[in-house]
Amino acid sequence: MKLYGVTGWKNNGKTGLMERLVAEFTARGLTVSTLKHAHHATDVDQPGTDSHRHRVAGASEVVLASPNRVAIMQELRGAQEPSLTELLARMRPVDLILVEGYKRETHPKIEVHRAEASTALIAPNDPTIRAVASDTALELDRPVFDLDDTAVIADFIAAELGL
């Protein structure tokens, strides 16, 4: 499996680019999975559902299966968050895994940057960031792409990974 990241500071457009890249790569015939890191508490389950009731009762893992999807919810209950490597090992094989977040990990990444967010670029101090996708012109020692030019960004990632 090939792995490529989309990183950047909050509110710079990471999720939008991820969404467009998934659509672009799947349209090209690739199988794609995503892995997103969240710094805040998040819950995909809703109070009142049977699966939520199982978790609240103390289940370590709840698997919710239907004809359309399977969701596996694992409660850490004070245990350390699994590493990126551990999470990737749990995923089914696909052509490409796109990772949102995990900016300090060593996999190759593209940084998303919006001028209006007024955040500093990560790229100048991080060699794992191979390119930047931005809504403004930037002078860098690596490629800078128009944030909205999804096909060109996908071409760059595909070339980097030999897809």
Side-chain angles (χ1 to χ4, degrees):
M1 291 190 301
K2 306 288 184 163
L3 176 71
Y4 213 90
V6 173
T7 195
W9 299 112
K10 184 178 177 180
N11 296 323
N12 273 273
K14 296 181 302 292
T15 302
L17 179 58
M18 286 280 292
E19 181 181 17
R20 294 190 311 274
L21 286 171
V22 169
E24 179 70 25
F25 282 121
T26 58
R28 294 179 184 195
L30 297 175
T31 55
V32 180
S33 290
T34 65
L35 194 160
K36 181 193 177 1
H37 188 260
H39 290 285
H40 51 83
T42 186
D43 196 345
V44 296
D45 207 4
Q46 300 300 314
T49 62
D50 294 350
S51 55
H52 187 268
R53 292 171 62 190
H54 297 180
R55 286 179 33 231
V56 170
S60 296
E61 184 169 81
V62 176
V63 178
L64 178 60
S66 76
N68 297 320
R69 70 191 47 87
V70 174
I72 300 173
M73 293 167 280
Q74 299 172 328
E75 290 296 311
L76 296 179
R77 304 207 187 278
Q80 186 173 352
E81 178 182 351
S83 69
L84 176 61
T85 302
E86 291 168 324
L87 293 170
L88 290 169
R90 296 178 188 180
M91 297 179 76
R92 293 173 39 193
V94 292
D95 298 318
L96 174 62
I97 296 178
L98 291 172
V99 176
E100 181 177 340
Y102 288 98
K103 66 177 67 76
R104 289 172 180 74
E105 295 291 332
T106 60
H107 59 282
K109 305 169 198 71
I110 187 161
E111 180 178 357
V112 179
H113 178 265
R114 287 190 189 275
E116 71 181 37
S118 299
T119 54
L121 281 168
I122 302 166
N125 298 311
D126 187 343
T128 68
I129 296 176
R130 305 287 173 76
V132 174
S134 182
D135 62 354
T136 189
L138 300 169
E139 291 292 325
L140 291 173
D141 62 349
R142 62 203 82 192
V144 177
F145 301 108
D146 182 314
L147 180 55
D148 294 323
D149 201 344
T150 307
V152 169
I153 295 168
D155 289 343
F156 175 80
I157 292 170
E160 284 254 297
L161 296 176
L163 292 172

